[in-house]
Amino acid sequence: MRRSITALLPLLLAGATGCGTVGAAQEAVDPTTVRVLVRDINIRTAGVDCAGTGPYQHFHNRAPFRVLDPDGAALASGQLPAGTAVAAFAEDLGVERLPTYCEFAVGVRVPQRASYRLEVDGRPALDLTPDSSEGPALVAVVPS
């Protein structure tokens, strides 16, 4: 009898700790990219690592972020990667260093919601706009 109780104990504990609920459906999540374009108009070479400057210093490599739903619930979180300098103008200015924006892109998996917001380093959340021009993405431009 003692041996059968010992064998059943791990199963009973697993059920009590919520390892799974019978009949509960997992909410489907979709992979997408969160892209943030920080319009700091810094002069640098396109393609180099960058971080936000001035009032956007909280945008940097390893800055904590959260993707929020319309009610403020966190759907995804992590740390930003290093930003990448992208040209601020489409025309070729004929110089190596040019006005750039700092773009951050990070992959996340989020469930379908009517809208999303992005919080970086505890600052006020930014609205994210769906954009499929380069694959599924949620995009913010700072300042908007």
Side-chain angles (χ1 to χ4, degrees):
M1 177 74 170
R2 183 175 180 98
R3 185 174 290 159
S4 62
I5 290 175
T6 305
L8 287 175
L9 188 58
L11 296 173
L12 293 171
L13 289 175
T17 58
C19 287
T21 305
V22 178
Q26 273 296 55
E27 187 172 15
V29 294
D30 297 316
T32 191
T33 301
V34 172
R35 293 178 49 223
V36 180
L37 187 66
V38 180
R39 298 191 295 186
D40 59 0
I41 312 210
N42 211 325
I43 305 296
R44 49 187 162 219
T45 304
V48 300
D49 284 357
C50 61
T53 60
Y56 314 112
Q57 289 180 1
H58 57 285
F59 287 94
H60 59 82
N61 187 22
R62 294 188 299 274
F65 76 87
R66 297 186 319 150
V67 177
L68 308 172
D69 71 8
D71 298 324
L75 301 174
S77 63
Q79 293 182 332
L80 291 177
T84 303
V86 295
F89 306 107
E91 66 187 88
D92 182 4
L93 300 177
V95 294
E96 184 178 316
R97 291 172 38 111
L98 45 111
T100 62
Y101 299 145
C102 190
E103 181 180 52
F104 296 86
V106 62
V108 297
R109 296 178 57 81
V110 293
Q112 287 292 321
R113 295 292 189 265
S115 64
Y116 302 90
R117 295 180 54 79
L118 176 69
E119 176 188 87
V120 176
D121 201 20
R123 304 293 171 95
L126 309 164
D127 290 329
L128 290 168
T129 303
D131 176 23
S132 59
S133 63
E134 296 179 24
L138 297 168
V139 179
V141 178
V142 180
S144 54

